[in-house]
Each structure stands twice: as C-alpha cells, then as structure tokens.
Amino acid sequence: MKLPLSWLSDYTDMSGITPEEYNHALTMSGSKVEGIENIGDKIQNIVTGKILSVEKHPDADKLKVCMLDVGTETLQIVTGADNVKPGQTVPVAKDGALLPDGTKIKKGKLRGVESNGMLCSYEEIGMTKEDFPDAEYGILILEDGLPLGKDIKEVFGLDNPVVEFEITSNRPDCFSVIGLARETAVTFNRAFNVKTPEVKGSGDDINNYMKITVSEPELCKRYTAKMVKNVKIGPSPAWMVKRLQSCGIRSINNIVDITNYILLEYGQPMHAFDMSYLEGNEINVRRARDGELMTTLDGEEHTLDSSMLMICDGKKPVAVAGVMGGLNSEVREDTKTVLFESATFLGSSVRITAKKLGLRTESSSRFEKGLDTENTYPAVMRACELIEELGCGEVVDGIIDVYGTKPKKVTIKFEPERINEFIGFCVPADEMVKTLTDLGFTVDGDVITVPTFRPDVLCFNDIAEEIVRMYGYDKIPSTLMDGDTTVGIKTYSQQIEDRVKNTLVGCGLYETLVFSFTNPNIFDRLNMPGDSVKRNAVVITNPLGVENSIMRTTAIASMMEVVARNENFKAEQVRLFELGKIYIPKEGEDLPEERRVVTIGMYGNCDYFDLKGVVEVMLDDLGIAKRSFEPEKTNSTFHPGRCANLIAGGKTIGTIGQIHPAVAENYGISSDVYVAEIDFEDMLMLAKTEKTYKKLPKFPASQRDLALIADDSVLAAQIENIIKKKSGNIFENLTLFDVYKGNQIPENKKSMAYSLVLRDENKTLTDEDINPVIESILKELSSKLDVTLR
Amino acid sequence: MSVPCGADNFFYCPVKLSGNAHNPTEKLGEQKGKVIMKEQLLAIKKSAEEKLAVSSSLQELEDLRVSVLGKKGELTQVLRQMGGLSAEERPVIGALANEVREAVESALTERKTILLAKAREEKLAREVIDVTMAGKKPEIGGLHPITKVLDEVKNIFLGMGFSIAEGPDVELDYYNFEALNIPKEHPARDTQDTFYVSDNVVLRTQTSPMQIRVMEHAKPPIRIIAPGRVYRSDAVDATHSPVFHQIEGLVVDKGITMADLKGTLEQFIKSLYGQDAKIRLRPHHFPFTEPSAEVDVSCFVCGGKGCRVCKGEGFIEILGAGMVHPDVLRRCNIDPDEYSGFAFGLGLERIVMRRMNIDDMRHLYENDVRFLKQF
C-alpha cells in the first residue's frame, strides 16, 4: 500500500517526524515500510520568478531573451517558448538546478547570448496535464502575486514523501489511511482523531427509488447504499487527484474518484452505479446463474457460474460482488443519478471469484482479507460528505442498510503479568491499558474487548503481540531456555547417512544435489520396459512444465542429466554421487513411500571395476560383508554384459553397471558411463557399523599362486566361492591378479591367476597342512566348474 | 732407506713378491730375514696408506683390502715367511704385522666412511628435484556446498541440545496448511505457490509441517530442527528455484518466552557468523506463530554500517520466527496454558550463497564439477 505521509496529517500530528524516522518506527511497530519516495528530492533550485522584460534574440528568430526577478537577483535567461510576456510569474530553474528527470541546468550561452537558467513547463517540474488542465503549451504561467524566489516545491506541495508499506494479510484495517494513521499515532504516542462524516442531505428518500435484497446473507454480510441525484460529473479537485495519484490510482471523474478515495481512506471498497441503467428499481445480491454472461468495466466479457456472487438489478448482473463493476451500469459523463454501494462480502468467495475471472483488483484484494462490516456505514457517509464538499450532487436522505448478523464481540482476559513473563520484559499494566485503548480496544477490569476492525486478535498471544510490538521487539532481552536439558544427537540413520557421504567423498566422488521432480519421458530415455513398475510415479497436477511434472522413482535419470551436462562442458573425468529420495506411490495411501537411494555416476579413465570398487568400499565400511554381485542381463538401461545386481540380505538392493550405449546416446553422452543405484534404506537395515578389535596374527601366512584355466562362461565369483569354501578357517585372502586370453590358451577359455593367502591362528602352516587344501580346491574346481590348473 | 721393492712398484711387482713368498725354501739369513720382513711390513703399510689416500671408490677399497689383507694378500704372504724366523724374533715381527694389519684396517674403515659420505652426497646431488613443481594430489571428492553449510547449522543446534527431525516431501495438505492455521481459501495460500498432487496432497511449501508431525508424537520438552526440501511454483532463475531447502526449528516446554526465542537465535547467529554478529527482530505475521517476527542479521560485509550487499540497510533478513500459536499447540494436544514454545524457519540457499559468494542459485543444482570442486 502506497500512502503520502501528508494524508496522515488529517488524522494525527505528523510534525517533526522525518521520513527516515517514520520508516524505522513503523517498521518496528509492525507496519513494514518497503520504501519512501519523494519527487521533491529530485527537484532542486527551481523558484518563482517574475518576467521583467522579453526581447528578441539578436541572432535567432525563435529565441527570446528574458530578464527575470527571482527575489534575490535578476537573471537573464534565453527561452524558446512563445507564451512568455512581461509581468508573468513562472518557474525558473536557476544555475545548478535539478529537474525530476535527472537533468541538471547549467548557465551557458545560447547563440552567443548568456543564459543563466531555464524557464520550465509543468512537465519539466514533474507534473501532468491533469494538474493543470487549462495550461497552454509552453512555459507554465503561475498565478500572480506569488512571492518571488519561492521554492517551487512549496508552491505545489511537491515535497511529498510517499511511503510504500508491506501490509501483512492479517491486518486488512491497515490497507487504509485511517488504519495506518492509527498505527502511526500509537507508534509516536500522539493523538488520533477521526471525524464522524456529516451529511446535510437534500430531502427525499432513497427508499422511494430503490429496493435492495440480499439473497445470499452468508456471502454478503452487509449491504449499505446511499443515493445521489443531480450529479454533475466533472474533474476532481487537484488535492484529491494528487492524493489518488500518490497512491497509484488514476483520476477518472469526481464520482469514481470519490469511491476510490474512500477505498484508500477507509479501506472500504465502494462502487457507484448509474441508476438510470438499473432495471426494475431494485438490487439483488445473488449468485450468478451458470453460463450467465457479463462484461466488466474493463471491457472483458466473462462467463459466470453459480459459485460467483453478483450484484444484479431486476434483470441482469451489474457488478461482480467485491471484484469489479459492470460496463452496463458504469458512471459516465452524462450520469445524473448515482447509487453508492458500500458492502461487505465474504473474503473467500471474493477470492475464488476473482481468481476464476482472472481479475485481481484493489477491491478484491481487500475483501479477500476479510473486512469490517461496521465500516460500510461511515464509509458511505464519508462519500456523501465529499459529494457535498465538492458540490457535485445532492445526497438523497435515507439509507438502505441490509445488515444480517452483526459480528460477535470478541473478549479476551487481560493478564498483564502473564504478558510480561511471555515477552520477557516489564511493561506496567496501566501503560498496557493505554496502548490497547489507543489501538481501539476497550479494557474494562480484566476484560479486553476487541474492536471489529481487528479480526486477527483472538487470544492471549495476540494481545501480547499488541503490547510487545508497540514497546519494541528491540527491548526483548536474550535469554537461554531453562527447563530440562535435552541431548542433541543425530539418529542412527542420520549418522549412517553422514558415514556413506564421507566414504564416497574419500573415494574421490563429488556430491550432487538435484531436483526431486522430473520428466515422465525419463522412463523411455532410460529404455525401461513399458510395464516397469518404476513408471508408476506421483504426478504433480500443476507443474511448472512437463519436465518437472512427476516425482522421480529412480535417481539414475538425474545422474545421467548431470553427467551429460558435465560431458557437454568438456569435463574429462567425472566422479559423482547423490544421496537423495525417490518417491514410490503406495496403493491405497495418500502419501508415497519416500526412500533414500545412493547413486554413483562416473566416466573418463574408469571402468566397471572402478565403480564396483567404490561400491565395495562403501559396503565394507557399513559392515555389509555378506553380499554378492550377480550378472544382470535383462536390465535394459544397462549394458547387457556389464551389469550386476547387488544382492544382500536376501534381496536385490541395487544395480550397478555400464549404461547401455543407446541410453547414453539418449542423453547425448558419447563416453562410457558407469552408474550404480543402491537403496540406502536397505543398506541402513543391513549395516553393522560396530567394529571390534581382532587379534593381530602371531603366525606367518602362507601364499600360494593358482594359475587356472576356465571356460569364458565361468565367473570369478564361482571360482572364488569354491576356493573360500574349501580353504575353510585358514582362509585369509584371495586376489585375482591376472586374467589372460590369447596365445597358449585354448579358444573360449581364459587364464585366471589367483594369489591365495592362508593362515592358521595357532601355528605356522606347513606344506603338509596346505597341500591337501589346495588339492581339494582343485578337485572341486575341476568337478564343479571344469576349471583346471594351467 | 734401502728397500727391495719401492713403494711405488710394491703393488706392481706382486710376481716378484709372491716369487719370494712362494719360495719358502729359500734360505735367508735369520737376521737378514727379520730386517727384510720388517721393511716389507712397513712398506706394505706405507704403500697401503698412500694408495688409500688417493682411492676414490668402494671397489678400489675392497680390492686393496683383498690385495693386502686377503688370504693371498701381501701381508699374509709376508707372514708366511715367519717360519724362517727365530723364536725370539717371531713375536716381534708378529706384533709388527698385527700393528700393520690394524693400521691398514683402520685406515680402510676411515677411508670407507669418507667415501660413503661422499658417495651419499653425490647421490643426494644427483637426486635434486624442483620442489616448486606441482604435488600429486590424491582424488578425494567433496560434499555439496549446501550439505557443508547444513552440517554446520546442524552441529550448532546439536550443541544446543536440539535433535534433527525428518519428514516427507510429499505432504498432506493438513500438515502443510490446515494444522498451521492456514485453512483452505486462506489468503496466505496465495503467496505460497503450491504444487498439488491431489486435493489433499501437496509438495510441502515449507518445513513447518514438521512442527505438527513432531508435536503429534513427542511430548515436551521438545527441541528439534527439521531441515528439508521445500517446493514452490517459482520458475528457475538466478534467485529462485522451485526446489530449495529450509531449516525449521521448534522448542516447546513450560515457560518458554520470547526472550528465549531471541536468545536462542542470537546464539545460533553468533555461532554461524561470529561473535560480532547481531540480530534484529521485527514484527511480522505468520499464521502459525503469534507474536511473529522477521529476523535480520547484521550485514557480514559491512558489519551494520550499510553497503551494497545489504542495500544500505546494515541488516539482512534471514529468517522468520515466532511463538507457537496456541491453536497449533492445542491441535497437537498440547495445552497452551501449560506449555509455550517458539518456532523459526530459515532458507538454506540464501545462507549458502552469501557465505560462499555464489551469485546464481542455478549453480547449486546444475552440479558442474568445475563448480563442485571449488568447495
């Protein structure tokens, strides 16, 4: 809400308060000031001056040389304007003057003749045609008799700081001059006065002309109307135009301006109907009929529905209640009789209607917040007072006021001690009473009655806030909580999360963060089967775009996007991980299951085994020793020969492998990409992170190398399982140190060289101990896998 | 001095010497034999010492040792002639021989030490490297800047006795709005452009629903923070993202006051920004706290004097806070006449961006490794 500070002076004493002080004080008492603008700050050194003489420029036909008396001196100024004559008083920008558009005026020579300034038009001093409807083209001619040398800002009141407030939604009363004046007065501890509007009237009775029915009392709590006849439509006086302009509202004509003036001053939206267009001498506040059409003031035609509350005459809708008037009944140049509407509509109803029609107006945004029904009467009376003040019509006696149930009085117990405890510093009870009273509350003993314009105040905390904001949040001391000590500790799950992240960082991976929602096309891009359960995702009904329209069910797609982006940026080698959620819809439940997954992605100077190594380090750290990697040939996202399922705890907890080149291509990636996606929740269940000391060996280990020949189809894991099993409790370690195909190795076979380390806890192993073990290993390898010694 | 073989040709006439040595049958006069042997021994010593003095390699030393002291060495050969000496002369010559042996051995050791030291010096000289050349850094990855700052915030609150609560991103309308005094059609819903999954399911627009979820299950005293992702329908640009992080805080206990709120936030801010940081509370409105406040922190660039970063204000708004609304407590079966509490919420991205001087929020979610490697 924008408001010229000068308007506040109508209600409270603003003397001696600088805009800066005002800004700070109001912000600290709860009406946040966004900024203060003052056109006057941009105007400097422009004063009134009297033209003493006008002579032709010796060397230029279109220029004139004027002598001006600016009070303290006489200045010679060259002008190009035609409308200057001796004796006139005009605005003079002296040497060094500043115009509102930023222009600086400097003395100089025009065609050889000295010019010590500039004579100004109204535009050049930041004013408009509306300010001077009768002004002719050229230099602005001021009224005679003005003191010479007077600052032009004073002449036109251009020193007019306009404050922009950020009003919170709980304070509809502060969307008005009166509301902010009340806040201002209490903040600065000054008197606050609102006059009751006085309307003389002109006889007759509105009831002779109009009948008003409210068919929807739930949606229209009060409908108050006054009538004005013999209306003289015309421009509003300059002071009113200026106030409206300062608040960002354009002047239309005196009647419309009055309704807008009341909107600002009282915070009560009003509407003026041209009564000659109201058919049947009646107003009915009813719901629209489905499909009913109406054209609003802005010329737009709308199709209505029965959720919308309309102001109708005997036949047709004439206004969308609380939102905008209809074109069919607007006030025009020839309007003679006006009906002023001042009503209270239900906020939520106005909000929905405005949203549906795409019309958010000054009026609707106020109604949405819930307005005080008690305000309609003074507001409409003030409008009539202005009619009489401006002399633009005759106010018909009588008022139509359809008022359903009056708002209930809200009372709250006054507990000054509890308030002081709650806010942490001491305000004397009698000062609290004064503050509350100044804010419009009544305090009677220990009962506070809340004024109707403060629907936000309902309980103890609200009263405490009224006190603390007026005495200053800066007075609240800083204390530390008493009471039972609590232990701050991360949960097991949080600790494991940290642990996994740190391990992966230690493996050289960088953590990524990505969006949780994604594009439904990822399933096709990842080449997932049409019937994949992963395709069942949580769908956002109002996404920003299709690319963010479902909650992800896999994190691989996000990783692929990140990888693609980095490849595109020419990163040669990339090692990344993410620990984030996927969202799995659950049948019959509102909320999906949110599972954390660890996703690893890499390319450049790496292969499947680099990826697997990182996964193994992570699993080792978590103590998940019982695990296996089983070849997975059917996962169409991955290379069919370079993909494995990670099995632990009797289930698949992850997939690792090289991304299928076709999928990589879908992401525009030309490198071989290696990705793992592992369920964090499963790892969490399986983790055994309690580590205990195992005695260091006392006896030496024995190492044997086994060079084996195996079919290509035999897996290392199969061989290793046999070796481990047959080694029994003297097994210590097994390393595959060479795999070879080629010369001296038969077709479809491979040579695999293992280094086996055996150790007995209790003695030094001898050949007699080891040889039988090796024999049994070889026997089992041969019989089960047809693997032989090379 | 009359010596049969000069020092210079002593080593170069082994044949002659060995001819003598291998000819034990040659009879020498005893007295003559003693004199000759003595001279020979002294000649061996002198010659060895002279040779040692100019020896330049360990191999030379070894060769010398073998040729003098070895089984077939000169000394041994001279000593073999001892048989021809008388019983009285033998110990004299034997002692002299030992003396010579010891002298040569000790000279050898001494020379060896010198040569070893020299050899080491030469090796060191050969091993000179350019110590200004780049080190070989092990690859050790890194956490995302958001995680780093969040960890910092978590640690501050853990130290203050807070636990860390977690909750769903896809949230019931009830928790995100209704239970927080934001009923359907409340104007506050307008300002939080909500993503909907269905009429009663949303992507949480704030971490505040965690207040309700915690209070429904825990009884006071409650001290938690709840960091998490939140979602708002904002298009991506330098300062907006439809996904971002908030950290919610909640304290509920008997006798919790606004001064406790201020004290707690002050301690947090000082831990995060240093002991000189100041906070300022301004009245504000949130539906689920009353009274509510916006909290500014003194600008860490100018320290409160006013600069470009704080737009001349000296303070920067960083969080919203307030006393838990009694209706919210009541809804969670906590009696507002017995208990009170405070809550606060702050946006993590803004803190991260200011802390690390990041000028565009998009960097945080694009994961360009050139960006990630900077932290």
Side-chain angles (χ1 to χ4, degrees):
Chain A
M1 163 117 187
K2 274 182 163 182
L3 177 63
L5 281 183
S6 54
W7 199 340
L8 293 171
S9 304
D10 289 7
Y11 305 99
T12 187
D13 177 14
M14 295 293 291
S15 60
I17 302 172
T18 67
E20 291 69 33
E21 283 166 356
Y22 187 81
N23 175 339
H24 180 72
L26 268 282
T27 295
M28 292 309 288
S29 72
S31 308
K32 188 180 180 190
V33 175
E34 288 281 350
I36 298 187
E37 223 181 70
N38 185 2
I39 193 174
D41 290 346
K42 299 177 191 162
I43 299 176
Q44 277 170 28
N45 225 9
I46 303 177
V47 299
T48 53
K50 188 168 198 166
I51 301 175
L52 302 174
S53 64
V54 180
E55 283 172 20
K56 287 185 85 175
H57 190 287
D59 295 321
D61 290 347
K62 292 191 173 170
L63 296 180
K64 298 188 173 77
V65 181
C66 309
M67 295 305 291
L68 287 119
D69 178 359
V70 292
T72 51
E73 56 189 322
T74 304
L75 295 176
Q76 174 176 297
I77 290 174
V78 178
T79 179
D82 292 329
N83 66 331
V84 285
K85 294 185 189 83
Q88 288 170 335
T89 305
V90 294
V92 181
K94 299 203 285 187
D95 180 37
L98 187 67
L99 305 187
D101 68 357
T103 311
K104 273 191 177 161
I105 303 300
K106 284 185 182 155
K107 65 180 175 186
K109 283 185 176 173
L110 278 171
R111 291 273 180 116
V113 176
E114 199 171 295
S115 181
N116 294 305
M118 189 181 89
L119 308 185
C120 304
S121 67
Y122 58 77
E123 285 161 323
E124 282 161 342
I125 54 173
M127 304 185 77
T128 64
K129 180 82 184 160
E130 285 170 347
D131 297 314
F132 303 99
D134 302 327
E136 54 188 349
Y137 179 77
I139 302 302
L140 177 63
I141 310 301
L142 305 172
E143 58 185 287
D144 292 339
L146 282 170
L148 302 183
K150 189 178 164 99
D151 193 327
I152 204 75
K153 290 191 277 190
E154 287 174 42
V155 176
F156 291 115
L158 295 176
D159 228 339
N160 182 28
V162 176
V163 185
E164 180 154 14
F165 290 97
E166 182 201 327
I167 304 296
T168 53
S169 62
N170 61 323
R171 292 299 301 274
D173 61 307
C174 284
F175 281 90
S176 71
V177 180
I178 289 177
L180 286 168
R182 184 185 294 109
E183 289 290 316
T184 304
V186 181
T187 301
F188 288 97
N189 200 17
R190 295 184 180 191
F192 169 67
N193 302 299
V194 181
K195 277 194 304 174
T196 306
E198 284 170 20
V199 180
K200 294 186 200 77
S202 63
D204 210 344
D205 188 347
I206 185 175
N207 291 297
N208 296 336
Y209 300 90
M210 190 47 65
K211 180 173 168 282
I212 295 178
T213 315
V214 174
S215 303
E216 297 287 340
E218 281 303 305
L219 304 185
C220 174
K221 300 250 173 86
R222 188 175 188 183
Y223 198 101
T224 311
K226 284 285 283 180
M227 179 178 160
V228 182
K229 62 184 183 184
N230 296 327
V231 169
K232 284 177 247 144
I233 300 289
S236 303
W239 61 268
M240 182 179 276
V241 172
K242 207 169 144 219
R243 282 188 168 178
L244 292 175
Q245 271 178 353
S246 301
C247 299
I249 291 180
R250 195 165 52 91
S251 169
I252 310 278
N253 60 45
N254 46 11
I255 298 298
V256 175
D257 287 358
I258 285 173
T259 62
N260 284 332
Y261 192 85
I262 300 300
L263 170 95
L264 295 169
E265 189 173 44
Y266 279 72
Q268 171 66 48
M270 285 186 57
H271 188 62
F273 295 101
D274 183 330
M275 279 183 72
S276 64
Y277 294 99
L278 298 181
E279 295 175 83
N281 296 330
E282 67 165 313
I283 288 280
N284 186 5
V285 184
R286 64 159 169 89
R287 285 170 189 270
R289 296 184 188 96
D290 284 324
E292 209 166 0
L293 294 175
M294 182 190 162
T295 305
T296 42
L297 276 176
D298 54 2
E300 294 288 318
E301 185 173 70
H302 300 278
T303 307
L304 309 173
D305 69 50
S306 60
S307 72
M308 301 172 182
L309 188 69
M310 306 309 268
I311 313 302
C312 305
D313 63 12
K315 290 196 169 161
K316 60 185 187 297
V318 291
V320 185
V323 182
M324 194 181 270
L327 195 60
N328 55 15
S329 55
E330 76 169 328
V331 171
R332 296 154 207 256
E333 295 211 348
D334 58 354
T335 295
K336 289 288 169 231
T337 320
V338 160
L339 184 77
F340 276 136
E341 164 199 293
S342 177
T344 316
F345 303 109
L346 187 69
S348 57
S349 159
V350 172
R351 181 171 172 270
I352 295 170
T353 304
K355 210 170 172 185
K356 277 188 182 171
L357 298 178
L359 286 174
R360 204 149 185 281
T361 59
E362 289 276 346
S363 165
S364 74
S365 65
R366 281 179 172 75
F367 277 121
E368 280 176 10
K369 292 171 179 76
L371 296 182
D372 178 14
T373 50
E374 289 291 302
N375 205 19
T376 65
Y377 180 82
V380 79
M381 294 308 281
R382 171 72 172 145
C384 293
E385 185 182 56
L386 284 170
I387 289 281
E388 293 182 344
E389 206 175 306
L390 269 51
C392 56
E394 294 167 20
V395 178
V396 174
D397 281 359
I399 189 163
I400 299 178
D401 191 7
V402 187
Y403 199 170
T405 33
K406 289 201 173 192
K408 258 196 245 161
K409 265 193 186 170
V410 174
T411 58
I412 298 166
K413 194 175 175 198
F414 181 47
E415 301 167 281
E417 280 153 33
R418 190 176 165 202
I419 289 173
N420 282 333
E421 269 170 39
F422 189 70
I423 64 179
F425 65 100
C426 192
V427 178
D430 55 340
E431 285 190 28
M432 288 189 194
V433 172
K434 180 175 185 314
T435 301
L436 290 170
T437 309
D438 290 347
L439 284 167
F441 296 79
T442 51
V443 185
D444 187 5
D446 68 349
V447 178
I448 304 167
T449 305
V450 180
T452 53
F453 57 82
R454 291 298 303 276
D456 59 309
V457 177
L458 294 163
C459 63
F460 165 80
N461 290 44
D462 298 316
I463 295 296
E465 181 182 51
E466 295 303 298
I467 299 302
V468 71
R469 73 186 178 92
M470 282 306 169
Y471 281 84
Y473 274 40
D474 51 350
K475 293 205 178 63
I476 302 170
S478 293
T479 58
L480 289 179
M481 298 165 275
D482 300 332
D484 297 343
T485 315
T486 51
V487 178
I489 191 167
K490 286 187 180 177
T491 61
Y492 178 65
S493 152
Q494 288 159 357
Q495 291 173 33
I496 297 295
E497 213 178 278
D498 287 353
R499 193 161 177 151
V500 165
K501 284 185 184 181
N502 289 332
T503 302
L504 294 176
V505 166
C507 289
L509 273 52
Y510 286 89
E511 187 192 14
T512 64
L513 287 185
V514 296
F515 285 179
S516 327
F517 35 48
T518 187
N519 194 318
N521 74 8
I522 61 160
F523 306 115
D524 291 338
R525 292 180 92 189
L526 292 176
N527 201 18
M528 285 184 176
D531 60 354
S532 168
V533 288
K534 293 266 180 193
R535 286 181 182 260
N536 179 24
V538 173
V539 179
I540 297 157
T541 57
N542 59 335
L544 277 172
V546 70
E547 69 278 8
N548 289 332
S549 62
I550 59 166
M551 298 304 280
R552 65 181 190 169
T553 55
T554 169
I556 295 179
S558 327
M559 183 56 77
M560 290 300 284
E561 283 166 25
V562 173
V563 165
R565 193 173 298 128
N566 278 292
E567 200 197 46
N568 196 30
F569 293 152
K570 312 283 182 237
E572 284 174 14
Q573 176 176 308
V574 162
R575 306 278 186 273
L576 301 168
F577 79 95
E578 190 218 339
L579 204 170
K581 285 176 178 177
I582 57 171
Y583 306 81
I584 312 296
K586 289 182 86 178
E587 192 70 35
E589 291 192 21
D590 283 328
L591 299 185
E593 183 185 6
E594 299 187 4
R595 292 185 78 86
R596 285 166 290 181
V597 293
V598 174
T599 314
I600 299 170
M602 52 175 72
Y603 75 80
N605 300 321
C606 63
D607 62 19
Y608 169 85
F609 299 103
D610 291 295
L611 172 66
K612 185 178 171 188
V614 171
V615 171
E616 287 178 310
V617 167
M618 173 177 70
L619 295 170
D620 288 347
D621 178 65
L622 294 179
I624 305 175
K626 286 188 180 167
R627 66 195 187 218
S628 61
F629 291 85
E630 295 187 355
E632 165 60 57
K633 298 182 190 310
T634 59
N635 188 325
S636 47
T637 301
F638 288 89
H639 188 306
R642 296 183 176 180
C643 176
N645 286 326
L646 169 58
I647 315 286
K651 63 193 266 203
T652 299
I653 68 167
T655 307
I656 87 166
Q658 181 184 338
I659 292 294
H660 197 292
V663 172
E665 214 172 281
N666 289 342
Y667 284 88
I669 301 171
S670 55
S671 310
D672 290 347
V673 185
Y674 299 90
V675 170
E677 187 187 40
I678 297 157
D679 191 299
F680 177 83
E681 313 298 340
D682 285 334
M683 285 200 292
L684 184 63
M685 295 296 289
L686 296 166
K688 286 196 190 76
T689 51
E690 295 265 327
K691 308 241 162 152
T692 51
Y693 164 69
K694 203 177 142 204
K695 278 206 164 75
L696 298 178
K698 282 196 184 117
F699 297 94
S702 297
Q703 188 199 321
R704 293 293 168 94
D705 286 352
L706 299 173
L708 304 172
I709 301 281
D711 269 1
D712 278 343
S713 62
V714 173
L715 302 175
Q718 293 175 296
I719 294 173
E720 288 161 16
N721 283 341
I722 286 173
I723 296 176
K724 280 180 200 167
K725 195 177 81 190
K726 286 293 164 185
S727 302
N729 57 10
I730 59 169
F731 177 84
E732 181 164 289
N733 192 25
L734 180 65
T735 316
L736 176 64
F737 65 87
D738 188 42
V739 179
Y740 174 73
K741 279 174 71 73
N743 279 346
Q744 300 161 13
I745 306 296
E747 191 97 324
N748 302 327
K749 300 249 184 199
K750 57 189 171 185
S751 157
M752 303 176 83
Y754 279 99
S755 163
L756 172 62
V757 179
L758 302 172
R759 191 198 302 267
D760 192 312
E761 274 178 43
N762 303 312
K763 61 173 188 173
T764 303
L765 289 171
T766 62
D767 284 351
E768 288 74 54
D769 299 318
I770 295 169
N771 291 343
V773 172
I774 301 293
E775 273 164 37
S776 77
I777 288 172
L778 294 174
K779 199 174 151 198
E780 183 91 353
L781 286 173
S782 165
S783 66
K784 291 268 169 64
L785 302 174
D786 197 21
V787 167
T788 56
L789 261 188
R790 186 174 169 188
Chain B
M1 196 194 281
S2 105
V3 188
C5 294
D8 278 333
N9 60 7
F10 181 84
F11 287 104
Y12 297 102
C13 55
V15 176
K16 186 183 169 195
L17 260 178
S18 64
N20 285 338
H22 284 278
N23 195 4
T25 55
E26 190 181 339
K27 287 286 176 191
L28 293 166
E30 285 192 357
Q31 189 55 41
K32 191 184 171 196
K34 180 189 154 195
V35 171
I36 291 170
M37 280 181 74
K38 192 178 173 189
E39 283 172 355
Q40 281 179 334
L41 285 171
L42 290 173
I44 287 170
K45 184 178 170 225
K46 184 167 181 256
S47 156
E49 279 171 356
E50 282 170 0
K51 188 68 192 162
L52 270 175
V54 297
S55 65
S56 60
S57 74
L58 291 172
Q59 189 56 50
E60 269 179 56
L61 288 191
E62 181 59 13
D63 291 347
L64 182 62
R65 189 189 65 77
V66 171
S67 67
V68 177
L69 305 173
K71 278 180 186 169
K72 293 176 180 171
E74 293 153 13
L75 191 63
T76 317
Q77 289 188 21
V78 171
L79 290 176
R80 278 197 192 137
Q81 301 168 19
M82 294 250 291
L85 296 180
S86 67
E88 296 82 44
E89 284 165 342
R90 245 178 251 160
V92 178
I93 294 299
L96 179 65
N98 275 339
E99 210 174 280
V100 169
R101 171 184 294 276
E102 275 168 22
V104 171
E105 274 177 351
S106 135
L108 270 169
T109 309
E110 196 184 318
R111 186 65 187 164
K112 192 175 178 182
T113 308
I114 292 167
L115 284 184
L116 275 175
K118 199 174 152 219
R120 172 165 291 166
E121 259 168 42
E122 282 166 6
K123 184 164 182 275
L124 292 179
R126 278 196 308 279
E127 286 174 352
V128 166
I129 54 166
D130 180 352
V131 295
T132 65
M133 277 163 48
K136 296 174 195 167
K137 298 179 186 173
E139 279 285 334
I140 53 154
L143 292 172
H144 193 280
I146 286 186
T147 305
K148 288 193 167 180
V149 177
L150 178 57
D151 281 347
E152 211 177 312
V153 172
K154 282 177 181 171
N155 286 333
I156 293 170
F157 281 106
L158 285 167
M160 291 163 76
F162 284 66
S163 303
I164 302 168
E166 290 160 354
D169 295 10
V170 184
E171 184 57 287
L172 293 174
D173 183 286
Y174 174 78
Y175 288 109
N176 196 71
F177 290 125
E178 298 263 340
L180 293 165
N181 291 343
I182 312 171
K184 288 228 152 69
E185 307 315 333
H186 189 285
R189 290 200 179 202
D190 268 356
T191 60
Q192 307 195 345
D193 310 296
T194 312
F195 289 118
Y196 280 90
V197 169
S198 68
D199 279 351
N200 65 335
V201 178
V202 302
L203 303 191
R204 66 175 171 193
T205 59
Q206 47 191 356
T207 42
S208 307
M210 284 308 300
Q211 290 185 28
I212 309 299
R213 285 185 174 270
V214 168
M215 282 192 284
E216 276 184 351
H217 293 103
K219 289 295 146 213
I222 293 170
R223 281 186 198 186
I224 57 112
I225 58 164
R229 291 181 167 219
V230 298
Y231 302 82
R232 304 237 179 124
S233 187
D234 279 326
V236 177
D237 66 24
T239 55
H240 293 89
S241 168
V243 181
F244 57 100
H245 292 75
Q246 280 188 343
I247 302 166
E248 194 77 9
L250 175 71
V251 169
V252 182
D253 202 351
K254 286 182 181 160
I256 295 292
T257 70
M258 285 188 84
D260 294 333
L261 165 63
K262 194 170 180 179
T264 303
L265 291 178
E266 205 163 84
Q267 194 174 344
F268 163 61
I269 291 299
K270 284 183 188 297
S271 304
L272 192 67
Y273 289 117
Q275 288 303 309
D276 293 338
K278 288 184 273 295
I279 61 167
R280 179 176 78 179
L281 271 61
R282 276 182 288 109
H284 197 67
H285 168 70
F286 302 109
F288 43 95
T289 50
E290 186 73 32
S292 304
E294 273 186 336
V295 182
D296 303 331
V297 60
S298 53
C299 177
F300 47 81
V301 174
C302 64
K305 288 199 257 341
C307 68
R308 194 181 51 82
V309 172
C310 57
K311 292 176 185 135
E313 294 268 318
F315 280 87
I316 293 170
E317 182 199 326
I318 73 155
L319 55 85
M323 303 303 289
V324 182
H325 198 289
D327 289 349
V328 173
L329 291 175
R330 218 170 273 127
R331 214 168 273 126
C332 300
N333 291 318
I334 295 174
D335 180 0
D337 290 328
E338 192 178 349
Y339 293 101
S340 56
F342 63 78
F344 56 88
L346 65 148
L348 188 54
E349 272 76 356
R350 286 170 74 182
I351 294 177
V352 173
M353 288 172 73
R354 291 222 181 88
R355 161 72 58 101
M356 294 171 173
N357 207 13
I358 298 166
D359 57 357
D360 191 326
M361 199 184 273
R362 283 170 287 208
H363 288 310
L364 294 172
Y365 293 95
E366 277 179 357
N367 302 295
D368 185 332
V369 290
R370 293 170 301 180
F371 171 81
L372 296 175
K373 285 182 176 178
Q374 292 183 19
F375 304 100

